[in-house]
Amino acid sequence: MKLKLVSFAICPFVQRSVILLREKQIDHEIDYIDLNDPPEWFLKLSPTGKVPLLLVDGATLFESSVILAFLDESFPPGFQPADTLRRAQHRSWIEFGSTLLMAQHAMATASDEDTFLEKKYLLEEDIARLSEPLNEGLFANLDEFSLVDAAIAPLFMRIQHLAELNQQADVKMPDPVRSWSQRLLQRPAVQQSVVTDFAHRYKAFLVSKNSWLCVGDASDN
Ligand SMILES: N[C@@H](CCC(=O)N[C@@H](CS)C(=O)NCC(=O)O)C(=O)O
């Protein structure tokens, strides 16, 4: 199979696929596009206008969770539970991972302090909901990589980058969530899943969105 991933360099949804491709050591190409000026061929292929796309021998897949499932089911080893209920539970939490990514984006791009604090509170509330499945051992078990790991690691990476950029963005996490985050951020496949100048590009993106965290007094803290 010839695989080409269509990417925007700082997109967390694309990063999910890159993590899985690297964990499984699957040969692939990455084609970076500029979402501010998307090429015509991309708009023709993508019904949603969003990345990622995975081009598989000329066929087009879209939606990151679908791409994860396809890659997992096509290339061993499998990272999903065999039990169908458990597998569906993993998929439910992957969807929730998308909600978390959007909440993190809303916090990161808030353009004033009040909005930032409100979005940060909402993100922390959502993150706290991960405690229950973690305590039940539904996923994030040591030495047992899963698609939930691939789906959530981009969130933890952005949370870490943002806290380094501005300590006011240091998000509260329950202990089991923080230790899961630390474990995931140490995995080579996660560390190597973004472009080498990711931190610089992510900051430039936030500045372009007038992020309160990156302007004036807020970023001096
Ligand atoms: N539900 C989609 C979300 C993908 C998404 O939001 N991608 C963003 C970039 S990070 C995008 O392409 N945005 C372009 C747009 O909304 O026009 C998925 O999971 O693949």
Side-chain angles (χ1 to χ4, degrees):
M1 257 187 243
K2 195 166 177 319
L3 303 179
K4 187 188 277 189
L5 186 65
V6 181
S7 171
F8 175 58
I10 57 160
C11 174
F13 297 96
V14 175
Q15 193 186 350
R16 291 171 157 181
S17 301
V18 181
I19 292 169
L20 192 59
L21 287 160
R22 286 189 166 269
E23 286 286 349
K24 288 176 177 267
Q25 303 185 349
I26 303 170
D27 275 347
H28 64 280
E29 281 174 45
I30 300 187
D31 200 345
Y32 294 100
I33 63 163
D34 179 1
L35 278 179
N36 297 313
D37 184 18
E40 210 44 52
W41 63 262
F42 166 73
L43 295 174
K44 275 199 190 125
L45 286 178
S46 174
T48 60
K50 294 178 197 280
V51 289
L53 295 182
L54 184 69
L55 310 184
V56 187
D57 292 337
T60 305
L61 296 179
F62 51 95
E63 285 300 322
S64 59
S65 57
V66 174
I67 294 171
L68 288 183
F70 166 75
L71 290 173
D72 195 55
E73 286 157 12
S74 307
F75 298 90
F79 291 140
Q80 299 177 82
D83 177 75
T84 54
L85 175 59
R86 221 172 160 83
R87 182 178 287 224
Q89 286 177 296
H90 275 212
R91 288 189 177 162
S92 297
W93 286 101
I94 289 170
E95 288 307 318
F96 186 64
S98 298
T99 303
L100 287 169
L101 281 172
M102 288 184 289
Q104 194 271 340
H105 179 76
M107 180 192 85
T109 55
S111 56
D112 60 75
E113 184 173 8
D114 286 349
T115 312
F116 164 77
L117 291 172
E118 181 202 333
K119 303 294 180 191
K120 184 180 181 195
Y121 176 76
L122 293 174
L123 175 62
E124 288 174 341
E125 265 194 336
D126 280 350
I127 285 179
R129 299 205 69 126
L130 293 169
S131 292
E132 200 173 307
L134 286 176
N135 290 336
E136 287 169 359
L138 187 57
F139 45 75
N141 300 312
L142 290 177
D143 300 327
E144 209 181 298
F145 189 78
S146 80
L147 296 194
V148 186
D149 292 311
I152 212 89
L155 171 82
F156 292 145
M157 188 181 272
R158 278 155 190 74
I159 286 176
Q160 188 186 49
H161 273 288
L162 220 50
E164 282 167 9
L165 197 63
N166 186 325
Q167 67 184 30
Q168 301 199 61
D170 198 2
V171 166
K172 250 189 273 154
M173 291 192 213
D175 288 345
V177 181
R178 190 163 293 279
S179 66
W180 183 26
S181 164
Q182 284 162 352
R183 284 203 310 279
L184 281 182
L185 293 177
Q186 280 165 12
R187 289 185 85 90
V190 172
Q191 291 174 351
Q192 294 158 10
S193 62
V194 287
V195 287
T196 46
D197 59 347
F198 176 83
H200 170 76
R201 285 190 195 219
Y202 187 47
K203 182 171 180 189
F205 171 78
L206 294 176
V207 169
S208 79
K209 297 284 174 202
N210 284 327
S211 159
W212 175 76
L213 285 168
C214 298
V215 292
D217 293 340
S219 61
D220 297 334
N221 296 305

